[in-house]
Amino acid sequence: MSMLRNPFVFSSLRKRIMVYLTIGFVGSAVLMASVSYNAIYTMQRDKIKTSMAFDLDQQTSKLNQMYTNLLQVTQQMTPEGTVGNLMDAYILTKDTYSQRILSRDIAYNIGLITFSNPAMELVMYYDPASGETPYSNLPLRGDFELHDLPSVADTGELSYQSPHRSLCRFSDDLVISVTREVEFSDGTQLIVYVEAKSDSAITMNTPSDNVMMPYTLAFTDTKGFITYSSNRDAIADGQHLVMSGQSGEMEGYIWNRMTGDYGYGISLLLPVSYYNHELYTWKNHMYWILAVALLMMFLFTLLLRRLINRPFRLIEKEMRTFGKGNMSSSHYHTGIDEFDRIFDQFNVMKRQIQQLIIDVEKKEKRRHQLEIEKLAYQINPHFLMNTLNSVRWLAAMHKQPDIEKFVSSMIFLLSYNLGKSEETSTFRSEIAVMRTYLELQQMRHDFTVSLDIADGPYLDYPVARFILQPIVENAVCHGLDDNGKLEISISLEETTQMVRIMISDDGKGLSHETLAMLQRDTPDQQQTGWGIGLRYVRSMLESFYGYKAGMNIESTPNQGTTVTLTLPIRQHRKETAI
């Protein structure tokens, strides 16, 4: 009570809303339960009796119709009927062939008669004198006795049986039947037996299952004795029921009774302990209503929490992710204008910071490009000096021969080396430049070259510019001795789609200190010769491929050096018309 008098005892808005919703919904549910209790309690008394009477009337009408259909079939099997006339001729004839023809006609006509009644099962003539069946449309059980069938009404030659097991050998269906005594022209007396499948017990269980009440269906004969009971534990066969009127109560059961058109009685019984089952069901429903009310209260609380508490949590989450470096814009629509404006302003701030980062990255990239250009300017004069020195030695040794060829090759190399960086380089063009350079160097130095280049479409794919010649130049100028050997292999690995380039020499190799210095990514004042060329190649690979390409250097003093490049395949970019 003190909590109700002082609602501000809860500082949390969510808790206050939950308390108010709980009081409102629980109070409404209790009021609804108290008002509806009297109405339900008053109505449920007559509801079950009315339902029992209605269901019993429906079942009685159905049984009357089934007995009428069976009676009509038996009339057709008397000597005056179609089937009976054929049976009379069948009994009188002694010719086997004629008997077969008549038997077929009997079966055909019985099929026509019973066609309109799909529930019809067994139809037969029975001779009580001999115990034989002159005709039966289905095989019979070996232990059947017609006089043991549960008769509910007798009218002279006719007898009506309550539900019992079918006399057909291959059926365990519950059936009702009619027997009729007939006499043919030669004095032969037979009994006509006709049965039809009955779903009386199943039909009566249907409403029972719906309201969860254990009904018991009972057939009684004209003297009040039970001939069939759907629940033999409650009402046993043969028990005598004394009932007056159409409904009442006896021995712990509430019953409702009707009499069929043919004199049989049909009763529906319900235990008194289940009579108030409707009230109990209603109480259970009220419990469910209270549960649903609490659930609705919980859902409304979640809704209000989503409207108010969730946006605050989203703002907190965005701040945490922003603090971890996530700059991507997040679009939230909370349905509340104030919170949506906060998220929009937060995204504007993110975009401004992202633009600042992009500007810094552009500046860094430009600085890196300048560093590459600086390295290129260092390599180009170095290469030019070596080439001009070769020209000098060639002129001194040979006077004039081969100078034209040498100078032409040098012009090609200088043209490619000093070409624009925007021009597309391919593996084929890089290999051509490398071949030209090796031809020039072989004019000066005495070494052999072994080229193993696998042919394929990959040779025309784009590649980083001017990456093979610096490595080959290092091998020739700093690695090979006279009579040395340079091995170059280029191939495509189909599984990984990587081009593998190996450049090996058998020269003097590199020391561990020199090799460690060449592996560094940072510039070093001592990196001359090998260092400048390899650092340029490494920078070009990083600029062109990112971190997807690889360069590995293996060297052993006095045994040679091997440089391995692994380059990913890059397709040609399609030109877009403007």
Side-chain angles (χ1 to χ4, degrees):
M1 294 301 296
S2 61
M3 192 166 52
L4 294 177
R5 288 192 298 268
N6 185 15
F8 298 100
V9 70
F10 295 113
S11 60
S12 172
L13 178 62
R14 182 181 60 182
K15 292 181 179 179
R16 292 184 188 179
I17 293 174
M18 186 175 295
V19 170
Y20 295 150
L21 288 177
T22 302
I23 295 174
F25 278 104
V26 172
S28 299
V30 172
L31 180 62
M32 180 180 61
S34 60
V35 171
S36 59
Y37 177 84
N38 292 329
I40 295 295
Y41 185 79
T42 301
M43 290 187 297
Q44 68 90 25
R45 291 181 179 273
D46 298 328
K47 180 179 179 179
I48 296 178
K49 289 184 178 180
T50 303
S51 177
M52 290 175 64
F54 176 80
D55 293 332
L56 198 58
D57 180 74
Q58 293 291 321
Q59 185 63 29
T60 303
S61 299
K62 184 177 180 180
L63 287 170
N64 288 337
Q65 184 62 42
M66 292 182 66
Y67 278 121
T68 300
N69 294 338
L70 293 176
L71 181 60
Q72 291 174 354
V73 175
T74 60
Q75 289 175 348
Q76 293 295 324
M77 299 182 70
T78 61
E80 294 77 18
T82 304
V83 179
N85 188 22
L86 292 173
M87 190 65 190
D88 190 38
Y90 177 88
I91 294 173
L92 293 176
T93 186
K94 302 300 181 183
D95 180 47
T96 304
Y97 176 78
S98 299
Q99 286 181 344
R100 289 197 172 189
I101 297 298
L102 290 170
S103 178
R104 184 188 64 184
D105 292 338
I106 291 172
Y108 176 78
N109 282 275
I110 288 178
L112 291 178
I113 294 172
T114 60
F115 178 79
S116 60
N117 190 356
M120 195 74 64
E121 290 193 0
L122 179 62
V123 178
M124 74 171 178
Y125 284 100
Y126 176 74
D127 188 354
S130 62
E132 298 178 351
T133 55
Y135 173 81
S136 175
N137 65 335
L138 295 174
L140 301 171
R141 299 182 183 277
D143 57 346
F144 78 93
E145 293 291 342
L146 290 182
H147 59 82
D148 291 334
L149 295 178
S151 178
V152 290
D154 292 309
T155 58
E157 62 181 11
L158 287 169
S159 179
Y160 302 89
Q161 287 82 38
S162 61
H164 61 86
R165 185 184 177 192
S166 174
L167 298 186
C168 178
R169 184 189 307 171
F170 305 113
S171 175
D172 290 323
D173 292 336
L174 197 65
V175 298
I176 61 173
S177 60
V178 173
T179 59
R180 186 175 196 143
E181 298 178 1
V182 295
E183 183 176 352
F184 293 91
S185 58
D186 65 343
T188 302
Q189 293 185 350
L190 299 178
I191 296 177
V192 176
Y193 173 84
V194 183
E195 68 178 28
K197 183 179 179 181
S198 172
D199 56 353
S200 300
I202 298 175
T203 304
M204 295 312 299
N205 282 333
T206 301
S208 172
D209 292 339
N210 289 338
V211 297
M212 299 297 293
M213 292 189 179
Y215 288 131
T216 298
L217 180 67
F219 278 72
T220 56
D221 58 13
T222 54
K223 297 180 180 179
F225 289 93
I226 295 177
T227 59
Y228 169 78
S229 173
S230 63
N231 184 4
R232 291 180 173 82
D233 294 333
I235 305 294
D237 293 348
Q239 183 177 343
H240 186 259
L241 293 181
V242 179
M243 298 179 179
S244 59
Q246 293 186 345
S247 62
E249 180 178 348
M250 68 168 193
E251 299 178 358
Y253 285 89
I254 296 173
W255 54 268
N256 198 294
R257 179 178 180 274
M258 294 189 72
T259 302
D261 294 342
Y262 298 96
Y264 62 90
I266 181 170
S267 303
L268 191 64
L269 297 92
L270 176 68
V272 176
S273 59
Y274 285 87
Y275 185 67
N276 293 326
H277 179 78
E278 190 82 1
L279 182 60
Y280 301 149
T281 303
W282 174 83
K283 289 182 179 179
N284 292 333
H285 290 168
M286 290 306 302
Y287 294 147
W288 279 107
I289 291 173
L290 291 174
V292 170
L294 293 176
L295 179 61
M296 292 178 62
M297 178 194 67
F298 179 73
L299 293 177
F300 281 130
T301 303
L302 290 181
L303 178 61
L304 292 176
R305 180 188 177 191
R306 180 182 178 87
L307 292 176
I308 299 175
N309 194 33
R310 181 174 175 271
F312 284 115
R313 292 187 179 274
L314 291 177
I315 293 174
E316 182 183 359
K317 176 185 175 182
E318 283 295 302
M319 289 183 176
R320 285 198 303 267
T321 56
F322 180 76
K324 295 178 181 179
N326 185 1
M327 299 292 180
S328 60
S329 297
S330 300
H331 299 282
Y332 295 102
H333 182 69
T334 62
I336 302 176
D337 294 338
E338 290 79 3
F339 288 113
D340 291 341
R341 285 196 293 269
I342 291 175
F343 280 115
D344 291 339
Q345 291 299 322
F346 198 73
N347 287 329
V348 170
M349 182 185 69
K350 284 185 178 180
R351 287 193 292 270
Q352 292 174 347
I353 296 175
Q354 285 178 333
Q355 187 61 41
L356 291 175
I357 294 175
I358 291 173
D359 294 340
V360 173
E361 289 178 350
K362 287 182 177 179
K363 292 180 180 179
E364 183 65 21
K365 187 175 181 180
R366 178 59 182 165
R367 187 193 65 79
H368 185 69
Q369 187 67 29
L370 293 175
E371 180 68 17
I372 293 176
E373 294 177 2
K374 178 182 177 182
L375 291 174
Y377 285 126
Q378 291 178 355
I379 291 175
N380 291 337
H382 180 71
F383 162 72
L384 184 60
M385 289 298 296
N386 289 337
T387 304
L388 292 176
N389 189 41
S390 298
V391 173
R392 182 177 65 82
W393 279 100
L394 184 65
M397 294 172 59
H398 299 282
K399 304 300 181 181
Q400 294 181 359
D402 299 327
I403 292 179
E404 182 179 359
K405 179 180 179 181
F406 188 90
V407 172
S408 297
S409 299
M410 185 181 67
I411 292 174
F412 172 73
L413 290 177
L414 287 175
S415 176
Y416 185 83
N417 186 21
L418 299 177
K420 296 181 179 180
S421 60
E422 288 81 4
E423 296 179 0
T424 302
S425 298
T426 63
F427 286 99
R428 194 180 301 278
S429 63
E430 282 290 304
I431 293 171
V433 171
M434 180 186 67
R435 285 179 184 272
T436 303
Y437 175 78
L438 289 174
E439 290 174 358
L440 288 175
Q441 293 299 329
Q442 282 183 314
M443 294 180 184
R444 173 188 172 186
H445 300 289
D446 188 12
F447 66 92
T448 59
V449 178
S450 174
L451 291 176
D452 182 12
I453 300 174
D455 195 12
Y458 76 94
L459 294 176
D460 297 316
Y461 288 166
V463 69
R465 186 179 183 84
F466 199 58
I467 59 174
L468 296 183
Q469 181 183 320
I471 300 175
V472 173
E473 182 179 352
N474 281 335
V476 173
C477 297
H478 303 288
L480 287 175
D481 296 327
D482 290 340
N483 301 320
K485 184 176 182 182
L486 183 64
E487 295 182 355
I488 302 173
S489 66
I490 302 177
S491 62
L492 173 64
E493 297 180 358
E494 296 290 345
T495 56
T496 60
Q497 288 294 297
M498 301 285 284
V499 177
R500 185 179 180 87
I501 303 174
M502 294 184 64
I503 302 174
S504 303
D505 65 73
D506 58 355
K508 54 189 175 183
L510 301 172
S511 64
H512 295 293
E513 293 77 9
T514 303
L515 185 61
M517 182 181 63
L518 294 177
Q519 299 286 4
R520 299 174 188 168
D521 292 332
T522 57
D524 196 311
Q525 297 296 332
Q526 298 179 357
Q527 289 186 2
T528 59
W530 269 93
I532 295 176
L534 292 179
R535 187 155 61 89
Y536 168 78
V537 173
R538 185 179 289 109
S539 298
M540 289 297 296
L541 293 179
E542 181 180 347
S543 177
F544 192 79
Y545 295 106
Y547 295 97
K548 297 180 180 179
M551 182 174 68
N552 183 46
I553 305 174
E554 297 180 357
S555 182
T556 303
N558 301 321
Q559 294 186 13
T561 303
T562 300
V563 179
T564 303
L565 299 179
T566 53
L567 310 178
I569 291 295
R570 289 184 59 174
Q571 302 289 343
H572 288 282
R573 295 182 179 177
K574 296 182 179 179
E575 297 293 338
T576 304
I578 300 177

